[in-house]
Amino acid sequence: MAATALINVHHLSTQANCAEDSEEPNVAQQKYAKHLLDALVALEYAAGKSRWAYSMRLLLVRLHRLLGSSGLAMQNFTMANLKSIQFDTLSHHILDRASTFSLASVGDLTLVNECVESSQIYGIHGNEVSEQLVKAFQYERYSQIAEFVLLEEKVDNSLQRDLTKLEHFRMKNIHEGLTPESVEVELVELRFVWGRVHHDNRDFETLSNMLPRGSPSLDELTSVGGKKLSESWFRTMLQLWILVLHQTSEQLWTEEEQVTVRPKLLTFSDEALQELTPAERLLVKYGRSLVAWLEPHHTPIKHSVMTSAVSTLATAKEKYAASTANGTANPSASAASSANAPSSGKSKSGANRKPNGLSNGTEGTAASSGEGGLGVKVGDMKVFTGMLTLHEPMEVPPMPKDMGEAVKEPPQDISTILDELQSLFDETIAKPSALPWEQLHVAQIAHEVVFLTHLLTARFALAGGKKKTHPSFKPLRAKSISLLDHVAKVITKLGQDVNFSAETRQSWIQDRRASGVLHELTDSDIAQVGRKYVESKKSMLEQLGKGLTKAQQSIAKTAAGVPAGSTQ
């Protein structure tokens, strides 16, 4: 109850900024968050004394995320010891906007792995429900069948399941990169998710809400972003990534999709955009602008590749059918492969490039199979079509009529958005009332923006970028890297400024005593919590700074389909 009251006091005090603008950001923000820090100490002490501290642990998870100590948030979430279906109803406490706290850029896959582990319940649950349905029929308990079917439907189409998948996608692929094969796979999966009708099974009643009637709930006051993630938020972010992946892939919109799917994906309602944070709105705005500018450049290339591939495959099948009908032997596999391979005229350096402009970043996958992965078996020969996903001749869809003309230079608003994002980051760092999660959030969004820039221009970069018809992408790439460099330096500096010296320890104890709530705690108890918190926050900032710095060198490769750290 004391912790809840302190969180409410923090909320009420947000209207009156009591920190001095002239103070160092870390000092000013710590003063502003003093009531949250008091609540943190009270909860850590109480949770340590209680064997059944379930709700306390979950509230601690939320407070640690707000205060930038994500390592301790993960620790408390693990200690909550969730079981079975609780991962569907309660994992949102740690996984909502998990990409804000991801350290995958330095190889820390804790949150990425948590997404995987939390999602295992859906496969297990499906098997359990199937067994229960069989038993219901076997023992003639027919009244239970409808309940089991409804339960299976709600879990299979869980909103939390797909929120977790989206965050896993954002964290994993920005770290590992997207190969041409994975682009095609992820696009199919995200489009499948987009077509689902979701059920929201999340439990928001676990945290005891003892706040005054009419005030925001405890869940809202401790949410990263100020409110729970809605399905509108999810669909908006999902739309953006489907558009990006579709443009990066070798796929074309079919005639039907140009009328039914494409217009929906290109439409972002103002109401849905309001569910996003200011940084997320800039990300969506930037992604939409990039897609609109580059679509007239990508589509003709993809159309040409698909037309050639379909023609090559159709011709090979016709020859095979004719030779089979005549009873003649097929040409040797090597001769057929050579005859049907796309005309080269390419340098050896381009031998490993996919025709969609992305390099072959992996070996031994189903798509690459050690031979480029661009062939289709016709009889006993392999016909090289130049596409990963073409298996049968098909009708090549026309290009969309409303995609506009190809413009070489990027629109001014694209560059302006990068300036706006840097301004937002600088304002957040300098703002005394900004909580640590806000600094991390804008920094991670900046990283995602840079990744988008390189991903959507990879086709032209790997093709040499010298053709007159290619967009002028190099200045934009350079500007985005400059943004990332600035963010990395500032975040690193913030981490260096955080410490728990003897002077800081004494100041921490005095500040916590000032609330009058922690009088039963000894100085040692208070200092112990403070040390753990400060060390966790420092580690988060320093590791993120290292990751963003590393990304400057690796992101061009990562976004182009070459795994980060590769020597290619």
Side-chain angles (χ1 to χ4, degrees):
M1 185 177 292
T4 302
L6 286 167
I7 293 169
N8 191 42
V9 170
H10 168 78
H11 167 64
L12 296 175
S13 67
T14 54
Q15 306 302 320
N17 188 0
C18 52
E20 297 291 335
D21 291 347
S22 59
E23 292 181 313
E24 288 294 319
N26 276 327
V27 176
Q29 287 159 6
Q30 189 159 306
K31 285 186 176 181
Y32 175 79
K34 62 183 180 182
H35 299 300
L36 293 181
L37 293 170
D38 292 341
L40 186 74
V41 173
L43 283 169
E44 285 283 10
Y45 179 78
K49 297 294 182 181
S50 172
R51 183 181 177 185
W52 311 109
Y54 183 84
S55 59
M56 288 185 200
R57 294 291 180 195
L58 293 180
L59 185 52
L60 275 169
V61 168
R62 302 175 73 85
L63 281 178
H64 277 300
R65 278 161 49 94
L66 288 178
L67 294 168
S69 47
S70 59
L72 292 175
M74 191 69 240
Q75 188 180 103
N76 276 281
F77 182 75
T78 302
M79 293 174 73
N81 198 25
L82 302 190
K83 303 291 185 183
S84 187
I85 202 65
Q86 289 178 322
F87 281 103
D88 183 48
T89 58
L90 296 173
S91 64
H92 65 91
H93 289 291
I94 191 71
L95 295 179
D96 277 6
R97 288 192 172 98
S99 54
T100 294
F101 307 97
S102 173
L103 291 175
S105 54
V106 287
D108 183 345
L109 303 181
T110 303
L111 282 172
V112 175
N113 292 335
E114 184 60 39
C115 288
V116 174
E117 292 173 12
S118 295
S119 298
Q120 289 177 353
I121 178 59
Y122 300 106
I124 296 171
H125 186 267
N127 294 333
E128 290 177 349
V129 171
S130 297
E131 292 173 3
Q132 293 301 320
L133 280 171
V134 170
K135 289 181 180 179
F137 277 106
Q138 183 179 355
Y139 296 107
E140 300 182 356
R141 297 172 181 170
Y142 301 119
S143 61
Q144 295 179 353
I145 293 175
E147 296 177 3
F148 283 131
V149 170
L150 178 59
L151 178 62
E152 185 175 26
E153 161 73 14
K154 293 183 72 173
V155 175
D156 281 349
N157 295 290
S158 165
L159 176 60
Q160 182 58 39
R161 178 183 190 171
D162 290 336
L163 281 168
T164 300
K165 177 174 179 56
L166 180 61
E167 287 301 292
H168 178 262
F169 167 83
R170 293 172 71 190
M171 292 187 288
K172 176 177 176 287
N173 290 312
I174 290 180
H175 166 57
E176 295 183 359
L178 286 163
T179 64
E181 293 91 344
S182 64
V183 166
E184 305 299 334
V185 172
E186 295 286 5
L187 176 60
V188 170
E189 291 188 1
L190 292 188
R191 285 197 58 177
F192 176 75
V193 167
W194 187 65
R196 273 183 177 155
V197 176
H198 289 97
H199 294 276
D200 191 353
N201 307 323
R202 294 174 295 174
D203 183 357
F204 296 104
E205 304 300 323
T206 304
L207 302 179
S208 300
N209 187 31
M210 294 175 282
L211 297 175
R213 188 176 300 175
S215 64
S217 67
L218 186 60
D219 182 85
E220 291 174 319
L221 294 181
T222 55
S223 289
V224 168
K227 60 177 72 173
K228 68 179 182 181
L229 295 187
S230 65
E231 187 165 3
S232 294
W233 181 94
F234 168 70
R235 289 196 169 275
T236 301
M237 300 300 286
L238 188 63
Q239 277 178 248
L240 172 67
W241 275 107
I242 291 175
L243 287 171
V244 169
L245 290 180
H246 187 276
Q247 196 165 104
T248 309
S249 75
E250 60 185 27
Q251 303 302 314
L252 292 170
W253 298 113
T254 65
E255 283 192 271
E256 181 181 355
E257 289 173 339
Q258 290 178 28
V259 176
T260 58
V261 177
R262 183 171 173 272
K264 291 181 180 179
L265 286 171
L266 289 172
T267 302
F268 292 76
S269 70
D270 291 337
E271 183 179 353
L273 290 173
Q274 292 307 310
E275 297 287 322
L276 278 57
T277 63
E280 289 167 343
R281 284 196 289 273
L282 286 175
L283 171 66
V284 171
K285 185 179 178 181
Y286 185 78
R288 293 172 68 187
S289 298
L290 267 184
V291 167
W293 171 47
L294 294 174
E295 185 179 28
H297 293 278
H298 282 285
T299 305
I301 297 174
K302 296 198 292 184
H303 191 273
S304 176
V305 169
M306 185 177 288
T307 301
S308 174
V310 169
S311 175
T312 298
L313 182 58
T315 301
K317 282 184 173 286
E318 288 172 4
K319 288 181 178 179
Y320 175 72
S323 65
T324 303
N326 294 332
T328 58
N330 279 332
S332 69
S334 59
S337 297
S338 265
N340 290 288
S343 59
S344 60
K346 295 181 181 178
S347 64
K348 291 183 180 179
S349 63
N352 272 339
R353 287 180 185 158
K354 301 296 187 186
N356 62 1
L358 297 176
S359 70
N360 186 10
T362 57
E363 294 180 2
T365 64
S368 64
S369 64
E371 299 181 71
L374 305 175
V376 177
K377 202 81 180 286
V378 178
D380 60 356
M381 65 181 180
K382 188 172 184 180
V383 180
F384 289 91
T385 62
M387 287 187 67
L388 289 165
T389 58
L390 182 68
H391 303 293
E392 293 291 339
M394 56 175 284
E395 183 178 344
V396 180
M399 292 187 284
K401 296 178 181 179
D402 61 341
M403 72 176 180
E405 297 182 1
V407 179
K408 188 174 181 65
E409 298 298 327
Q412 182 59 39
D413 67 320
I414 293 180
S415 180
T416 301
I417 295 170
L418 292 178
D419 293 333
E420 290 176 1
L421 185 56
Q422 180 164 332
S423 296
L424 177 62
F425 176 74
D426 291 339
E427 289 169 6
T428 304
I429 294 298
K431 185 180 178 184
S433 60
L435 291 174
W437 78 264
E438 297 175 69
Q439 302 167 345
L440 301 173
H441 179 66
V442 183
Q444 298 279 24
I445 292 293
H447 188 183
E448 200 165 355
V449 160
V450 178
F451 181 80
L452 277 182
T453 306
H454 285 72
L455 180 63
L456 285 170
T457 56
R459 176 175 280 119
F460 315 111
L462 290 173
K466 296 180 180 180
K467 292 186 178 181
K468 293 182 179 179
T469 56
H470 281 176
S472 179
F473 60 86
K474 290 185 178 179
L476 188 63
R477 278 188 161 203
K479 185 168 186 175
S480 68
I481 287 294
S482 176
L483 167 65
L484 191 60
D485 178 62
H486 171 71
V487 171
K489 288 177 179 177
V490 173
I491 290 294
T492 301
K493 178 66 165 58
L494 281 178
Q496 292 171 348
D497 290 343
V498 175
N499 65 79
F500 200 74
S501 62
E503 183 180 346
T504 308
R505 179 184 185 278
Q506 190 59 35
S507 175
W508 170 272
I509 294 173
Q510 290 176 355
D511 290 342
R512 302 291 74 80
R513 291 291 187 199
S515 67
V517 177
L518 307 175
H519 57 276
E520 293 186 8
L521 278 67
T522 65
D523 286 356
S524 177
D525 294 329
I526 295 173
Q528 184 179 12
V529 174
R531 178 175 294 280
K532 288 182 178 180
Y533 163 68
V534 170
E535 288 176 352
S536 179
K537 179 183 176 183
K538 181 180 181 66
S539 175
M540 178 72 216
L541 289 168
E542 288 185 338
Q543 292 301 308
L544 179 58
K546 289 179 182 177
L548 296 177
T549 301
K550 180 182 176 183
Q552 295 175 61
Q553 289 80 41
S554 65
I555 199 166
K557 288 183 177 181
T558 305
V562 182
S566 169
T567 58
Q568 296 185 35

